[in-house]
Amino acid sequence: MRTAIISDVHGNLEALTTVLGDIDNRKADRIICLGDILGYGPNPVECVELIAQRCEWSLLGNHDYGALYEPTNFNAAAEQAAYWTRAQFDKEPDGEEAERRWEFLGQLRVRCLFNSFLCVHGSPRRPINEYIFPEDAINSPVKMSQIFDLVDHHCLVGHTHVPGVFTNEPEFYPPTDLGGVYKFNDDERVIVNPGSVGQPRDMDPRASYAILDEDEMSVEFHRLDYDVEAVARKIYAIPELNNWLGDRLLEGR
Ligand code: ZN
């Protein structure tokens, strides 16, 4: 079985459709989403529709939580974007349609077990909000060992928007160090981050996702060009979305 793992779409429709097209070409058997469908980007409603249609399931991310319930620990630009995002769902004139979308968002899970993989948006101990940063592998060994204590075998996370593989050494391997593919070893625990579809933050603006091959027990990372400028232009045209949200897409930070 080949499972496409996407995360952190953040209302970026151009990036999402590009990634879904690539997933179709590579003939993955299913798609799962690790959360943050919403927040920052200009097309939250369209992205929710596509995720609902195309993904087997999605998790709840902190920005989905922010739009659905309330923004927690957000900076001013993110908070304003969350309220704008909520308003896009609220302005749907068809009451049933609006209800269906809110229901989809309301049933998103905080964590789930997918075969040998524990899946969360943030981290196993704080599923919605905790970041597992690449530098934690070097700077925060206690944090990493506490987190790995909660991982029996493998774990899938998003949230940092930085793709790569954490092992319980602890060590972090970006896809460029792995030649794009990581093969799981029997005796290690591993946390995989597929990176962000809609707002990459590893100084590479291309959309990021991964494909998990459970027969080979490997994960391959993919990067895709999409029309970043078009999305930035949409953001610049929406007063409630801070221009910086467009600028950062162009730079991938
Ligand atoms: Zn995110």
Side-chain angles (χ1 to χ4, degrees), residues 45-80:
V45 175
E46 295 84 347
C47 288
V48 162
E49 290 288 335
L50 267 178
I51 296 290
Q53 284 166 21
R54 299 294 315 274
C55 294
E56 199 163 291
W57 49 262
S58 175
L59 294 176
L60 181 80
N62 56 315
H63 286 265
D64 307 317
Y65 183 95
L68 185 60
Y69 301 108
E70 59 182 56
T72 308
N73 300 327
F74 281 12
N75 63 38
E79 184 173 295
Q80 198 182 18

mmCIF file of all heavy atoms in Angstrom, residues 45-80:
data_model
loop_
_atom_site.group_PDB
_atom_site.id
_atom_site.type_symbol
_atom_site.label_atom_id
_atom_site.label_comp_id
_atom_site.label_asym_id
_atom_site.label_seq_id
_atom_site.Cartn_x
_atom_site.Cartn_y
_atom_site.Cartn_z
ATOM 1 N N VAL A 45 -12.072 27.600 1.886
ATOM 2 C CA VAL A 45 -13.272 26.799 1.620
ATOM 3 C C VAL A 45 -12.983 25.753 0.544
ATOM 4 O O VAL A 45 -13.315 24.563 0.693
ATOM 5 C CB VAL A 45 -14.445 27.717 1.192
ATOM 6 C CG1 VAL A 45 -15.656 26.880 0.787
ATOM 7 C CG2 VAL A 45 -14.799 28.681 2.320
ATOM 8 N N GLU A 46 -12.318 26.180 -0.537
ATOM 9 C CA GLU A 46 -12.007 25.252 -1.628
ATOM 10 C C GLU A 46 -11.092 24.131 -1.143
ATOM 11 O O GLU A 46 -11.217 22.975 -1.562
ATOM 12 C CB GLU A 46 -11.344 26.007 -2.791
ATOM 13 C CG GLU A 46 -12.245 27.029 -3.473
ATOM 14 C CD GLU A 46 -12.277 28.403 -2.773
ATOM 15 O OE1 GLU A 46 -11.793 28.515 -1.625
ATOM 16 O OE2 GLU A 46 -12.785 29.351 -3.385
ATOM 17 N N CYS A 47 -10.150 24.482 -0.265
ATOM 18 C CA CYS A 47 -9.220 23.456 0.242
ATOM 19 C C CYS A 47 -9.942 22.444 1.120
ATOM 20 O O CYS A 47 -9.681 21.244 1.037
ATOM 21 C CB CYS A 47 -8.055 24.106 0.990
ATOM 22 S SG CYS A 47 -6.908 24.954 -0.123
ATOM 23 N N VAL A 48 -10.863 22.911 1.962
ATOM 24 C CA VAL A 48 -11.645 21.972 2.781
ATOM 25 C C VAL A 48 -12.457 21.038 1.892
ATOM 26 O O VAL A 48 -12.518 19.826 2.122
ATOM 27 C CB VAL A 48 -12.556 22.740 3.773
ATOM 28 C CG1 VAL A 48 -13.681 21.849 4.301
ATOM 29 C CG2 VAL A 48 -11.730 23.278 4.927
ATOM 30 N N GLU A 49 -13.069 21.584 0.841
ATOM 31 C CA GLU A 49 -13.847 20.748 -0.077
ATOM 32 C C GLU A 49 -12.974 19.647 -0.684
ATOM 33 O O GLU A 49 -13.362 18.483 -0.748
ATOM 34 C CB GLU A 49 -14.439 21.609 -1.209
ATOM 35 C CG GLU A 49 -15.545 22.543 -0.757
ATOM 36 C CD GLU A 49 -16.838 21.802 -0.438
ATOM 37 O OE1 GLU A 49 -17.061 20.704 -0.967
ATOM 38 O OE2 GLU A 49 -17.633 22.336 0.356
ATOM 39 N N LEU A 50 -11.788 20.031 -1.149
ATOM 40 C CA LEU A 50 -10.896 19.058 -1.798
ATOM 41 C C LEU A 50 -10.385 18.009 -0.808
ATOM 42 O O LEU A 50 -10.318 16.820 -1.137
ATOM 43 C CB LEU A 50 -9.700 19.778 -2.430
ATOM 44 C CG LEU A 50 -9.831 20.174 -3.892
ATOM 45 C CD1 LEU A 50 -8.575 20.916 -4.342
ATOM 46 C CD2 LEU A 50 -10.042 18.937 -4.772
ATOM 47 N N ILE A 51 -10.018 18.454 0.383
ATOM 48 C CA ILE A 51 -9.536 17.498 1.388
ATOM 49 C C ILE A 51 -10.656 16.516 1.747
ATOM 50 O O ILE A 51 -10.428 15.307 1.862
ATOM 51 C CB ILE A 51 -9.046 18.235 2.665
ATOM 52 C CG1 ILE A 51 -7.834 19.118 2.353
ATOM 53 C CG2 ILE A 51 -8.738 17.246 3.794
ATOM 54 C CD1 ILE A 51 -6.552 18.397 2.049
ATOM 55 N N ALA A 52 -11.875 17.045 1.902
ATOM 56 C CA ALA A 52 -13.010 16.175 2.238
ATOM 57 C C ALA A 52 -13.250 15.137 1.138
ATOM 58 O O ALA A 52 -13.574 13.988 1.411
ATOM 59 C CB ALA A 52 -14.268 17.013 2.470
ATOM 60 N N GLN A 53 -13.071 15.563 -0.129
ATOM 61 C CA GLN A 53 -13.293 14.649 -1.253
ATOM 62 C C GLN A 53 -12.168 13.639 -1.413
ATOM 63 O O GLN A 53 -12.407 12.475 -1.703
ATOM 64 C CB GLN A 53 -13.370 15.441 -2.567
ATOM 65 C CG GLN A 53 -14.653 16.181 -2.810
ATOM 66 C CD GLN A 53 -14.476 17.194 -3.945
ATOM 67 O OE1 GLN A 53 -13.566 17.078 -4.779
ATOM 68 N NE2 GLN A 53 -15.320 18.201 -3.967
ATOM 69 N N ARG A 54 -10.942 14.085 -1.249
ATOM 70 C CA ARG A 54 -9.803 13.282 -1.686
ATOM 71 C C ARG A 54 -9.073 12.510 -0.586
ATOM 72 O O ARG A 54 -8.371 11.548 -0.874
ATOM 73 C CB ARG A 54 -8.774 14.187 -2.410
ATOM 74 C CG ARG A 54 -9.286 14.905 -3.669
ATOM 75 C CD ARG A 54 -9.636 13.926 -4.802
ATOM 76 N NE ARG A 54 -8.624 12.907 -5.000
ATOM 77 C CZ ARG A 54 -7.545 13.061 -5.762
ATOM 78 N NH1 ARG A 54 -7.349 14.166 -6.420
ATOM 79 N NH2 ARG A 54 -6.678 12.085 -5.885
ATOM 80 N N CYS A 55 -9.208 12.942 0.652
ATOM 81 C CA CYS A 55 -8.426 12.295 1.715
ATOM 82 C C CYS A 55 -9.264 11.249 2.452
ATOM 83 O O CYS A 55 -10.453 11.447 2.678
ATOM 84 C CB CYS A 55 -7.894 13.320 2.714
ATOM 85 S SG CYS A 55 -6.689 14.430 1.980
ATOM 86 N N GLU A 56 -8.600 10.156 2.822
ATOM 87 C CA GLU A 56 -9.287 9.134 3.612
ATOM 88 C C GLU A 56 -9.678 9.721 4.964
ATOM 89 O O GLU A 56 -10.749 9.474 5.470
ATOM 90 C CB GLU A 56 -8.371 7.924 3.780
ATOM 91 C CG GLU A 56 -9.112 6.680 4.173
ATOM 92 C CD GLU A 56 -8.284 5.428 3.937
ATOM 93 O OE1 GLU A 56 -8.039 5.094 2.748
ATOM 94 O OE2 GLU A 56 -7.864 4.794 4.923
ATOM 95 N N TRP A 57 -8.766 10.496 5.545
ATOM 96 C CA TRP A 57 -9.075 11.238 6.772
ATOM 97 C C TRP A 57 -8.092 12.383 6.914
ATOM 98 O O TRP A 57 -7.050 12.421 6.271
ATOM 99 C CB TRP A 57 -9.057 10.336 8.019
ATOM 100 C CG TRP A 57 -7.855 9.448 8.171
ATOM 101 C CD1 TRP A 57 -7.780 8.128 7.826
ATOM 102 C CD2 TRP A 57 -6.564 9.804 8.701
ATOM 103 N NE1 TRP A 57 -6.527 7.650 8.105
ATOM 104 C CE2 TRP A 57 -5.759 8.658 8.653
ATOM 105 C CE3 TRP A 57 -6.005 10.987 9.199
ATOM 106 C CZ2 TRP A 57 -4.429 8.636 9.079
ATOM 107 C CZ3 TRP A 57 -4.683 10.976 9.626
ATOM 108 C CH2 TRP A 57 -3.913 9.807 9.568
ATOM 109 N N SER A 58 -8.460 13.323 7.796
ATOM 110 C CA SER A 58 -7.558 14.420 8.132
ATOM 111 C C SER A 58 -7.567 14.607 9.643
ATOM 112 O O SER A 58 -8.554 14.278 10.310
ATOM 113 C CB SER A 58 -8.014 15.709 7.453
ATOM 114 O OG SER A 58 -7.189 16.799 7.878
ATOM 115 N N LEU A 59 -6.480 15.120 10.149
ATOM 116 C CA LEU A 59 -6.397 15.487 11.560
ATOM 117 C C LEU A 59 -6.757 16.964 11.724
ATOM 118 O O LEU A 59 -6.827 17.718 10.752
ATOM 119 C CB LEU A 59 -4.983 15.257 12.090
ATOM 120 C CG LEU A 59 -4.492 13.815 12.142
ATOM 121 C CD1 LEU A 59 -3.036 13.802 12.613
ATOM 122 C CD2 LEU A 59 -5.354 12.970 13.062
ATOM 123 N N LEU A 60 -6.937 17.357 12.995
ATOM 124 C CA LEU A 60 -7.185 18.759 13.350
ATOM 125 C C LEU A 60 -5.846 19.426 13.672
ATOM 126 O O LEU A 60 -5.113 18.957 14.537
ATOM 127 C CB LEU A 60 -8.096 18.801 14.574
ATOM 128 C CG LEU A 60 -8.493 20.185 15.083
ATOM 129 C CD1 LEU A 60 -9.618 20.756 14.240
ATOM 130 C CD2 LEU A 60 -8.932 20.115 16.544
ATOM 131 N N GLY A 61 -5.538 20.516 12.976
ATOM 132 C CA GLY A 61 -4.338 21.298 13.293
ATOM 133 C C GLY A 61 -4.690 22.521 14.109
ATOM 134 O O GLY A 61 -5.872 22.845 14.291
ATOM 135 N N ASN A 62 -3.664 23.214 14.588
ATOM 136 C CA ASN A 62 -3.916 24.384 15.439
ATOM 137 C C ASN A 62 -4.650 25.495 14.682
ATOM 138 O O ASN A 62 -5.437 26.243 15.274
ATOM 139 C CB ASN A 62 -2.616 24.919 16.060
ATOM 140 C CG ASN A 62 -1.562 25.270 15.038
ATOM 141 O OD1 ASN A 62 -1.316 24.513 14.110
ATOM 142 N ND2 ASN A 62 -0.916 26.414 15.208
ATOM 143 N N HIS A 63 -4.433 25.601 13.367
ATOM 144 C CA HIS A 63 -5.135 26.643 12.599
ATOM 145 C C HIS A 63 -6.568 26.237 12.272
ATOM 146 O O HIS A 63 -7.437 27.099 12.161
ATOM 147 C CB HIS A 63 -4.347 27.002 11.336
ATOM 148 C CG HIS A 63 -3.142 27.824 11.638
ATOM 149 N ND1 HIS A 63 -3.139 29.197 11.574
ATOM 150 C CD2 HIS A 63 -1.909 27.464 12.058
ATOM 151 C CE1 HIS A 63 -1.942 29.651 11.933
ATOM 152 N NE2 HIS A 63 -1.179 28.618 12.231
ATOM 153 N N ASP A 64 -6.816 24.926 12.117
ATOM 154 C CA ASP A 64 -8.198 24.461 11.964
ATOM 155 C C ASP A 64 -8.948 24.745 13.268
ATOM 156 O O ASP A 64 -10.074 25.237 13.255
ATOM 157 C CB ASP A 64 -8.230 22.960 11.659
ATOM 158 C CG ASP A 64 -7.348 22.593 10.475
ATOM 159 O OD1 ASP A 64 -7.387 23.329 9.470
ATOM 160 O OD2 ASP A 64 -6.611 21.594 10.566
ATOM 161 N N TYR A 65 -8.285 24.438 14.374
ATOM 162 C CA TYR A 65 -8.845 24.720 15.703
ATOM 163 C C TYR A 65 -9.122 26.220 15.845
ATOM 164 O O TYR A 65 -10.165 26.631 16.347
ATOM 165 C CB TYR A 65 -7.866 24.242 16.782
ATOM 166 C CG TYR A 65 -8.363 24.417 18.200
ATOM 167 C CD1 TYR A 65 -8.990 23.370 18.867
ATOM 168 C CD2 TYR A 65 -8.199 25.632 18.861
ATOM 169 C CE1 TYR A 65 -9.445 23.527 20.163
ATOM 170 C CE2 TYR A 65 -8.657 25.804 20.164
ATOM 171 C CZ TYR A 65 -9.287 24.747 20.815
ATOM 172 O OH TYR A 65 -9.743 24.924 22.088
ATOM 173 N N GLY A 66 -8.175 27.031 15.376
ATOM 174 C CA GLY A 66 -8.289 28.487 15.491
ATOM 175 C C GLY A 66 -9.493 29.044 14.750
ATOM 176 O O GLY A 66 -10.172 29.951 15.239
ATOM 177 N N ALA A 67 -9.771 28.498 13.567
ATOM 178 C CA ALA A 67 -10.920 28.978 12.789
ATOM 179 C C ALA A 67 -12.223 28.400 13.340
ATOM 180 O O ALA A 67 -13.235 29.087 13.414
ATOM 181 C CB ALA A 67 -10.751 28.601 11.322
ATOM 182 N N LEU A 68 -12.175 27.145 13.768
ATOM 183 C CA LEU A 68 -13.381 26.446 14.216
ATOM 184 C C LEU A 68 -13.782 26.872 15.623
ATOM 185 O O LEU A 68 -14.953 27.133 15.887
ATOM 186 C CB LEU A 68 -13.106 24.937 14.183
ATOM 187 C CG LEU A 68 -14.250 23.978 14.496
ATOM 188 C CD1 LEU A 68 -15.400 24.147 13.513
ATOM 189 C CD2 LEU A 68 -13.724 22.538 14.437
ATOM 190 N N TYR A 69 -12.816 26.946 16.541
ATOM 191 C CA TYR A 69 -13.104 27.265 17.943
ATOM 192 C C TYR A 69 -12.577 28.656 18.272
ATOM 193 O O TYR A 69 -13.318 29.623 18.254
ATOM 194 C CB TYR A 69 -12.506 26.202 18.858
ATOM 195 C CG TYR A 69 -13.032 24.828 18.561
ATOM 196 C CD1 TYR A 69 -12.217 23.878 17.938
ATOM 197 C CD2 TYR A 69 -14.344 24.476 18.874
ATOM 198 C CE1 TYR A 69 -12.707 22.608 17.648
ATOM 199 C CE2 TYR A 69 -14.837 23.207 18.583
ATOM 200 C CZ TYR A 69 -14.007 22.275 17.967
ATOM 201 O OH TYR A 69 -14.489 21.039 17.670
ATOM 202 N N GLU A 70 -11.266 28.774 18.576
ATOM 203 C CA GLU A 70 -10.693 30.094 18.808
ATOM 204 C C GLU A 70 -9.194 30.036 18.589
ATOM 205 O O GLU A 70 -8.548 29.015 18.837
ATOM 206 C CB GLU A 70 -10.983 30.557 20.243
ATOM 207 C CG GLU A 70 -10.432 29.622 21.303
ATOM 208 C CD GLU A 70 -10.796 30.118 22.698
ATOM 209 O OE1 GLU A 70 -11.986 30.300 22.962
ATOM 210 O OE2 GLU A 70 -9.869 30.316 23.496
ATOM 211 N N PRO A 71 -8.604 31.144 18.086
ATOM 212 C CA PRO A 71 -7.156 31.161 17.864
ATOM 213 C C PRO A 71 -6.433 31.159 19.211
ATOM 214 O O PRO A 71 -6.730 31.983 20.067
ATOM 215 C CB PRO A 71 -6.906 32.476 17.116
ATOM 216 C CG PRO A 71 -8.243 33.048 16.788
ATOM 217 C CD PRO A 71 -9.249 32.404 17.685
ATOM 218 N N THR A 72 -5.490 30.224 19.381
ATOM 219 C CA THR A 72 -4.766 30.089 20.643
ATOM 220 C C THR A 72 -3.280 30.318 20.387
ATOM 221 O O THR A 72 -2.691 29.666 19.525
ATOM 222 C CB THR A 72 -4.967 28.660 21.213
ATOM 223 O OG1 THR A 72 -6.372 28.396 21.240
ATOM 224 C CG2 THR A 72 -4.428 28.534 22.617
ATOM 225 N N ASN A 73 -2.674 31.247 21.127
ATOM 226 C CA ASN A 73 -1.236 31.557 20.987
ATOM 227 C C ASN A 73 -0.858 31.991 19.568
ATOM 228 O O ASN A 73 0.217 31.660 19.085
ATOM 229 C CB ASN A 73 -0.368 30.343 21.371
ATOM 230 C CG ASN A 73 -0.598 29.928 22.795
ATOM 231 O OD1 ASN A 73 -0.872 30.759 23.660
ATOM 232 N ND2 ASN A 73 -0.492 28.636 23.058
ATOM 233 N N PHE A 74 -1.746 32.687 18.889
ATOM 234 C CA PHE A 74 -1.436 33.157 17.542
ATOM 235 C C PHE A 74 -0.855 34.568 17.604
ATOM 236 O O PHE A 74 -1.252 35.365 18.453
ATOM 237 C CB PHE A 74 -2.711 33.215 16.685
ATOM 238 C CG PHE A 74 -3.162 31.886 16.144
ATOM 239 C CD1 PHE A 74 -2.617 30.697 16.597
ATOM 240 C CD2 PHE A 74 -4.137 31.831 15.159
ATOM 241 C CE1 PHE A 74 -3.034 29.473 16.085
ATOM 242 C CE2 PHE A 74 -4.567 30.612 14.648
ATOM 243 C CZ PHE A 74 -4.016 29.435 15.112
ATOM 244 N N ASN A 75 0.047 34.887 16.675
ATOM 245 C CA ASN A 75 0.460 36.283 16.540
ATOM 246 C C ASN A 75 -0.674 37.060 15.852
ATOM 247 O O ASN A 75 -1.655 36.478 15.405
ATOM 248 C CB ASN A 75 1.799 36.404 15.796
ATOM 249 C CG ASN A 75 1.729 35.884 14.367
ATOM 250 O OD1 ASN A 75 0.727 36.081 13.677
ATOM 251 N ND2 ASN A 75 2.774 35.223 13.922
ATOM 252 N N ALA A 76 -0.512 38.400 15.817
ATOM 253 C CA ALA A 76 -1.611 39.253 15.338
ATOM 254 C C ALA A 76 -2.032 38.898 13.916
ATOM 255 O O ALA A 76 -3.230 38.818 13.616
ATOM 256 C CB ALA A 76 -1.197 40.724 15.429
ATOM 257 N N ALA A 77 -1.053 38.660 13.039
ATOM 258 C CA ALA A 77 -1.381 38.363 11.637
ATOM 259 C C ALA A 77 -2.117 37.031 11.519
ATOM 260 O O ALA A 77 -3.082 36.898 10.757
ATOM 261 C CB ALA A 77 -0.103 38.330 10.794
ATOM 262 N N ALA A 78 -1.688 36.036 12.295
ATOM 263 C CA ALA A 78 -2.325 34.711 12.242
ATOM 264 C C ALA A 78 -3.734 34.773 12.812
ATOM 265 O O ALA A 78 -4.656 34.127 12.303
ATOM 266 C CB ALA A 78 -1.482 33.686 12.997
ATOM 267 N N GLU A 79 -3.912 35.575 13.876
ATOM 268 C CA GLU A 79 -5.236 35.703 14.485
ATOM 269 C C GLU A 79 -6.213 36.379 13.517
ATOM 270 O O GLU A 79 -7.339 35.923 13.330
ATOM 271 C CB GLU A 79 -5.134 36.501 15.786
ATOM 272 C CG GLU A 79 -6.468 36.572 16.514
ATOM 273 C CD GLU A 79 -6.339 37.218 17.881
ATOM 274 O OE1 GLU A 79 -5.666 36.634 18.741
ATOM 275 O OE2 GLU A 79 -6.894 38.314 18.068
ATOM 276 N N GLN A 80 -5.749 37.450 12.891
ATOM 277 C CA GLN A 80 -6.603 38.145 11.928
ATOM 278 C C GLN A 80 -6.961 37.208 10.766
ATOM 279 O O GLN A 80 -8.102 37.191 10.297
ATOM 280 C CB GLN A 80 -5.892 39.400 11.406
ATOM 281 C CG GLN A 80 -6.858 40.371 10.770
ATOM 282 C CD GLN A 80 -6.158 41.600 10.198
ATOM 283 O OE1 GLN A 80 -4.947 41.593 9.975
ATOM 284 N NE2 GLN A 80 -6.922 42.642 9.954
#
